[in-house]
């Protein structure tokens, strides 16, 4: 799945593909770590909100 765009991964993740969701999280991992400021609870919260956002987004 490495050569799929973020849009394609989002559509797959919205349809229930867990590997696509993990790939999106992996792509955004640096940004998530930056904005969690070293706090593990914030890190998990941001990932949760990312998953919710992908599921609710209208592609």
């Amino acid at each position: 799945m490495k050569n799929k765009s973020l849009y394609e991964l989002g559509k797959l993740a919205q349809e229930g593909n867990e590997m696509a969701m993990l790939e999106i999280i992996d792509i955004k991992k640096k940004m998530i770590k930056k904005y969690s400021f070293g706090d593990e609870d914030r890190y998990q919260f941001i990932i949760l909100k990312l998953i919710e956002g992908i599921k609710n987004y209208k592609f």
Side-chain angles (χ1 to χ4, degrees):
M1 267 194 225
K2 289 284 185 187
N3 52 359
K4 292 200 182 272
S5 71
L6 194 56
Y7 176 80
E8 292 169 334
L9 288 171
K11 289 204 51 103
L12 289 172
Q14 199 172 45
E15 294 169 0
N17 187 329
E18 292 177 10
M19 291 305 292
M21 186 69 74
L22 290 174
E23 187 70 30
I24 294 170
I25 292 170
D26 191 47
I27 291 170
K28 298 295 182 182
K29 188 173 284 191
K30 286 184 182 180
M31 185 179 71
I32 294 169
K33 283 185 179 182
K34 177 182 176 183
Y35 288 106
S36 66
F37 305 109
D39 185 9
E40 184 65 28
D41 290 335
R42 274 190 197 159
Y43 183 79
Q44 294 296 325
F45 182 76
I46 292 170
I47 289 176
L48 177 66
K49 290 299 176 181
L50 177 65
I51 292 170
E52 288 176 5
I54 291 169
K55 288 185 178 186
N56 292 327
Y57 189 76
K58 306 250 188 289
F59 285 97

